[in-house]
Amino acid sequence: MPELHATVIAATATGTPVAVARSHAPALWRLPALLAGSLVGAALQLQQPVLWHWHGYALVLACAVVLWGLSGLLVRSGGARRWLCQVLVACAGAALLFATTGLRATVYLQGALDPALEGQNIRVIGTIAAMPQVNEAGVRLRLDVESAWLPGEGAGAARKPVQLPERMDVSWYGGFFFGATSATTTVRPLEPQRRPPALHAGERWEMTIRPRAPHGLSNPHGFDYELWTWEQGVQATGTVRTGPKDLAPVRLASTWQYPVEQARQSVRDAILARLAPGLDPDDPGRARMAGVVAALVTGDQRAIDRADWDVFRATGVAHLMSISGLHITLFAWLAALLVGALWRRSLRLCLAVPAPTAALVAGVLLAAAYALFSGWGVPAQRTVTMLATVALLQLSGRRWPWPQVWLLACAAVVWVDPWALYQAGFWLSFVAVAVLFATDTRAVGGARPKGRARVLALLREQWVVTLALTPLSLLLFGQVSLVGFVANLVAIPWVTLVVTPLALGGVLCVPLWNLALWSLQPLSALLQWLATWPMAVLYLPVAPLWAGAAALAGGVLLAMRLPWRLRLLALPLVLPVLWWQPGRPAPGQFELLAADIGQGNAVLVRTASHTLLYDAGPRFSLESDAGHRVLVPLLRALGERVDVLMLSHRDADHTGGAAAVLAQQPGARLTGSIEAGHELQALRPATPCLAGQRWEWDGVAFEVLHPAPGDAGAAVRANHISCVLRIVAAGEQAAVALLAGDIETGQEQALVARGVPLKADVLLVPHHGSKTSSTGGFLDAVAPRTALVQAGYRNRFGHPAPDVLARYQERGITVVESARCGAATWSSAWPDGVACQRESGQRYWQHSMVPALPR
């Protein structure tokens, strides 16, 4: 797990316990209060939905100074008011971190992209600031912008300078992009594109870019892309324009800038060229293992195949297969041992600086260099911060109690990066280190075990960490690897002591890369075998915070060195997270959850004991789709077992994630308007959806209204045979939902002419709000209160069309767009309202289509 032993690296490097003694600690009683208060202050600031004006944070900062001063006066006055001093110091620390974090965020947002520039073609001069990421659709670049202007209309037109954010993530497409499909093809060109040339870090380019604000998908328990871009310092994304009407990109120069990124790219390309020079059909695993070697050396996690990531996560070893705190700590340990051994060979050097001190400093500095070379990711930054903090403490000659050392390391990381509190790795790291310290006799002056005792101690450490972190993993991810203990017992020593040193050594001696690859192959085979075990991974619904916190306390109590009678008291604390089940609709009622999946449809329909998934969202690329990225994690987090997967029609923005959903839901029945030769038929035979099909679940009636028998044919467009599903709750004043797929004008008119029951409270807007749908007569027949639009943010089709939105507004229909709302939840029990994920979990770093002004 990331940064597991970062706080004890100094002890490992010098061979003596560091900063963990219970005695001889100075009277630093105010420091723990200050550190704990600062953690609370940062956590409180991260809960803000919108930022204050900077004046508000300045006032809080002034309060922090006043509180600190008052605590100093009370200290000098003495007496029995020590507890009050601690409270004042803690409040001062909280106010300090709250204010400084808010000010940092306010300053950062000053460089955000002007919404008026989104979607415009802008000419840019910039330098590639990181090694490019190549995929089947093109190349992704991190661009540092030097200047930008609006291209003039006509020759000799004057430039109009514009202000763009200093750092952007840019996609340069070339070739194919997954879009709407026909019966015989799965990909089509996005638009006429030129294949990107070979791109390198440090190159200076002039190109036309269409920028937009970072905007990710917002779903319950989903990945926060906008927080990730915030921590990366990326304030805009965009696409390179290379169409016939656009000015071609021009390489201006190859510069000396970003030498570390240039070196990383050279090493990565050299590894892949040597280990996987071409696709070998007889040995497909070689190219995949080459990606792992590249990731271990350069931190390029995208070099690892998605299937391999699935195996690593299932076996609980994903933290070992890219640059993590454990690798950086190992590097620091090896560097400290080497420098210490060499240093002791020189009497003059030892007289100038003691060998343990030189080893400690060298270990930290070389670890920082390795972290920089590996891409300086957030986990690497946390690890270097912790290493430096503990090393400085050791060099100062202080011996503090381990809880104070642990608290200092936590606070140091949060001071540098307050937003780390929202990272799962932060909590896994520090909880693991705290448990190891609390349960290790060496932390209180015990002797270091040797030989067999050392092996048993390592086994116990792994068991203790597994026991303590299992509840936390369930809270953060909704899953835990049941084979992780066995897998890590083999993988941790093998990867850290064999594979990683060989991979790093290949930078100096190239043949070592081959040895690293060969050493990975038996481990990969073992992990794949473990991943196939029955119940290799336990998936449970994500419990609320209170249940997760109770389970974490129970796991820690079980891991402590206490009598078993006391440890058994932890079992009631763990049970809620194991047995938690999210609430479901009452009998006769149902609920819709329109997932935020970009440009496509995916609606989860839940009754008291059944679940239907209407469409499975788009395919984003060969390696990514809405099923794998959104729907499978969402279904697992909610504990859903899908009874029916209904695919309205065959287009890829509706079926792209179906394969991943079917693999995760073996009991789901497949139905929909997909032809007999469709690739999904090979995974699970599908029954066609036809008008007149009816069934009932828990008192809720389901009826298919379209297509009629005989509508399908070889020449019929896929949209024209979309499954239209009507869902009716029980009762006299029953709420109704209508899911319309991608039907167009002709199908809407046919439904109205047939006189089928169309009236509904909520409507899934046909064809994402296309101009070819949502006719006036159809809307009058349905007369919905609410209309849900599932469409991608600033999608290239322009959905929902302004004319279509105007027709809804004329009729007083509330339109809820997924790009603005995120995942939308509607319940038949409360048909007047829709709950938006972006509103319920709003944070100031998240993008809003309507910019909020500071208060």
Side-chain angles (χ1 to χ4, degrees):
M1 58 211 55
E3 312 98 14
L4 183 60
H5 298 293
T7 58
V8 294
I9 183 59
T12 311
T14 62
T16 57
V18 175
V20 294
R22 288 180 180 264
S23 60
H24 308 294
L28 294 175
W29 59 268
R30 284 206 298 173
L31 182 59
L34 178 66
L35 299 177
S38 64
L39 293 175
V40 172
L44 289 175
Q45 199 281 330
L46 297 189
Q47 304 306 308
Q48 289 192 285
V50 293
L51 289 174
W52 296 346
H53 193 278
W54 71 268
H55 293 159
Y57 296 113
L59 180 61
V60 175
L61 188 59
C63 291
V65 175
V66 171
L67 290 170
W68 181 261
L70 290 175
S71 70
L73 292 176
L74 287 176
V75 167
R76 287 193 292 270
S77 66
R81 290 175 288 186
R82 189 164 180 167
W83 67 270
L84 181 57
C85 293
Q86 291 179 323
V87 171
L88 291 176
V89 170
C91 291
L96 176 64
L97 258 292
F98 184 96
T100 54
T101 303
L103 289 172
R104 287 172 60 181
T106 302
V107 172
Y108 179 77
L109 282 181
Q110 299 304 312
L113 177 68
D114 183 353
L117 298 178
E118 288 193 271
Q120 296 195 47
N121 288 346
I122 299 176
R123 198 69 175 171
V124 169
I125 292 178
T127 305
I128 300 175
M131 61 178 182
Q133 302 289 336
V134 181
N135 55 42
E136 75 282 351
V139 183
R140 294 195 63 174
L141 309 171
R142 182 152 294 173
L143 198 68
D144 279 0
V145 177
E146 298 177 21
S147 59
W149 64 92
L150 292 173
E153 298 179 0
R159 295 180 175 183
K160 181 181 179 182
V162 296
Q163 186 68 38
L164 288 181
E166 295 180 356
R167 175 157 291 187
M168 301 177 61
D169 272 358
V170 178
S171 297
W172 188 338
Y173 294 114
F176 295 96
F177 184 82
F178 289 85
T181 61
S182 66
T184 59
T185 184
T186 57
V187 295
R188 70 175 188 181
L190 177 64
E191 58 182 44
Q193 294 277 357
R194 303 174 185 175
R195 292 293 301 178
L199 300 166
H200 298 88
E203 290 182 343
R204 194 164 173 264
W205 280 80
E206 179 181 333
M207 57 182 66
T208 302
I209 291 175
R210 183 171 291 178
R212 70 180 209 173
H215 186 98
L217 306 178
S218 180
N219 292 284
H221 315 293
F223 174 67
D224 193 339
Y225 170 77
E226 288 146 42
L227 176 60
W228 180 84
T229 58
W230 178 282
E231 288 205 285
Q232 295 290 317
V234 174
Q235 294 183 285
T237 61
T239 55
V240 178
R241 312 298 297 172
T242 60
K245 297 181 181 180
D246 300 306
L247 294 175
V250 178
R251 181 190 282 111
L252 301 179
S254 295
T255 72
W256 57 267
Q257 298 182 64
Y258 310 105
V260 174
E261 289 298 321
Q262 294 186 42
R264 290 181 67 214
Q265 184 173 358
S266 298
V267 171
R268 181 196 64 180
D269 294 346
I271 292 173
L272 297 179
R274 180 175 180 85
L275 301 183
L279 295 177
D280 185 356
D282 297 327
D283 189 11
R286 182 180 178 89
R288 292 164 57 178
M289 290 301 98
V292 177
V293 175
L296 289 172
V297 178
T298 66
D300 183 12
Q301 297 187 19
R302 296 180 184 178
I304 301 178
D305 189 80
R306 190 183 84 177
D308 288 324
W309 274 125
D310 292 340
V311 171
F312 298 154
R313 293 189 183 101
T315 53
V317 300
H319 61 98
L320 294 171
M321 298 305 172
S322 61
I323 302 300
S324 69
L326 184 59
H327 295 111
I328 295 171
T329 303
L330 168 70
F331 187 87
W333 175 70
L334 293 174
L337 287 179
L338 179 61
V339 171
L342 295 175
W343 201 273
R344 291 184 182 92
R345 291 179 174 271
S346 172
L347 180 60
R348 180 176 299 179
L349 291 176
C350 288
L351 291 175
V353 178
T357 300
L360 181 61
V361 172
V364 173
L365 293 179
L366 291 174
Y370 176 43
L372 187 64
F373 181 79
S374 67
W376 199 239
V378 174
Q381 295 175 35
R382 288 200 300 264
T383 304
V384 172
T385 301
M386 289 191 290
L387 288 172
T389 300
V390 178
L392 289 174
L393 186 63
Q394 168 71 355
L395 293 174
S396 69
R398 289 181 171 86
R399 295 173 62 82
W400 291 357
W402 74 260
Q404 195 160 296
V405 178
W406 179 85
L407 192 57
L408 177 62
C410 287
V413 170
V414 173
W415 290 341
V416 174
D417 179 18
W419 299 275
L421 289 170
Y422 264 83
Q423 300 293 335
F426 174 90
W427 296 102
L428 291 171
S429 303
F430 282 104
V431 170
V433 170
V435 171
L436 285 175
F437 268 139
T439 60
D440 191 353
T441 56
R442 286 175 294 161
V444 294
R448 300 173 69 82
K450 296 181 180 180
R452 181 183 176 185
R454 177 58 178 164
V455 173
L456 293 176
L458 290 175
L459 289 173
R460 186 184 181 281
E461 285 182 1
Q462 183 62 41
W463 170 249
V464 165
V465 169
T466 301
L467 195 62
L469 292 189
T470 293
L472 186 59
S473 298
L474 290 173
L475 175 64
L476 295 173
F477 310 117
Q479 68 179 69
V480 63
S481 174
L482 298 183
V483 299
F485 177 74
V486 176
N488 277 281
L489 280 180
V490 177
I492 287 178
W494 188 252
V495 173
T496 55
L497 299 179
V498 178
V499 180
T500 302
L502 288 174
L504 293 175
V507 177
L508 301 176
C509 180
V510 172
L512 292 179
W513 284 333
N514 294 90
L515 294 178
L517 184 139
W518 294 335
S519 67
L520 271 173
Q521 290 175 341
L523 177 64
S524 175
L526 173 64
L527 295 177
Q528 290 178 6
W529 177 65
L530 289 174
T532 61
W533 283 15
M535 294 293 292
V537 185
L538 175 65
Y539 297 102
L540 292 175
V542 176
L545 182 60
W546 66 265
L552 177 60
V556 172
L557 185 58
L558 282 172
M560 297 293 289
R561 291 180 178 271
L562 296 171
W564 276 106
R565 291 182 179 179
L566 293 178
R567 295 193 198 186
L568 292 178
L569 296 177
L571 294 180
L573 297 175
V574 177
L575 290 180
V577 79
L578 298 177
W579 286 349
W580 173 262
Q581 290 295 327
R584 300 192 66 90
Q589 303 295 331
F590 68 96
E591 178 184 276
L592 303 183
L593 194 160
D596 187 6
I597 38 79
Q599 184 66 26
N601 278 155
V603 180
L604 191 66
V605 184
R606 304 167 69 234
T607 68
S609 61
H610 291 83
T611 301
L612 178 143
L613 180 61
Y614 181 88
D615 282 336
R619 177 180 293 173
F620 306 121
S621 68
L622 288 174
E623 291 293 327
S624 178
D625 57 66
H628 187 268
R629 283 179 51 183
V630 178
L631 297 177
V632 167
L634 178 62
L635 291 170
R636 285 173 174 165
L638 297 177
E640 293 294 338
R641 293 187 178 181
V642 176
D643 297 282
V644 173
L645 171 58
M646 177 177 285
L647 302 177
S648 62
H649 60 297
R650 62 176 176 254
D651 282 355
D653 57 334
H654 297 254
T655 63
V661 172
L662 291 174
Q664 188 254 341
Q665 297 285 338
R669 181 167 58 89
L670 181 62
T671 184
S673 290
I674 55 176
E675 66 277 6
H678 196 281
E679 59 185 7
L680 291 174
Q681 295 277 11
L683 300 178
R684 197 162 303 170
T687 57
C689 62
L690 296 172
Q693 293 174 343
R694 297 181 178 86
W695 71 93
E696 184 175 304
W697 285 342
D698 307 312
V700 178
F702 294 76
E703 181 180 5
V704 178
L705 304 182
H706 183 79
D711 284 351
V716 176
R717 289 188 57 191
N719 289 353
H720 296 173
I721 54 173
S722 290
C723 303
V724 177
L725 181 66
R726 188 169 186 260
I727 310 170
V728 184
E732 295 182 0
Q733 301 295 327
V736 181
L738 187 67
L739 309 182
D742 275 4
I743 60 172
E744 298 180 348
T745 300
Q747 294 73 55
E748 292 179 354
Q749 293 175 346
L751 286 170
V752 174
R754 283 164 47 197
V756 298
L758 293 175
K759 185 172 177 57
D761 296 276
V762 62
L763 169 68
L764 179 64
V765 172
H767 202 182
H768 321 287
S770 167
K771 293 180 181 180
T772 62
S773 305
S774 298
T775 57
F778 179 74
L779 294 183
D780 291 336
V782 179
R785 307 180 192 181
T786 305
L788 303 177
V789 180
Q790 286 188 299
Y793 174 66
R794 301 196 66 85
N795 63 88
R796 65 190 181 95
F797 306 102
H799 296 159
D803 294 345
V804 172
L805 289 177
R807 288 199 287 271
Y808 282 92
Q809 292 169 358
E810 289 170 1
R811 291 163 175 79
I813 302 170
T814 301
V815 177
V816 178
E817 301 177 51
S818 60
R820 296 178 184 271
C821 173
T825 303
W826 177 91
S827 174
S828 63
W830 298 278
D832 293 330
V834 173
C836 289
Q837 178 66 23
R838 284 191 176 272
E839 294 178 0
S840 60
Q842 183 181 358
R843 296 294 182 267
Y844 58 80
W845 56 79
Q846 294 172 343
H847 176 242
S848 174
M849 293 178 66
V850 180
L853 297 175
R855 291 189 286 176

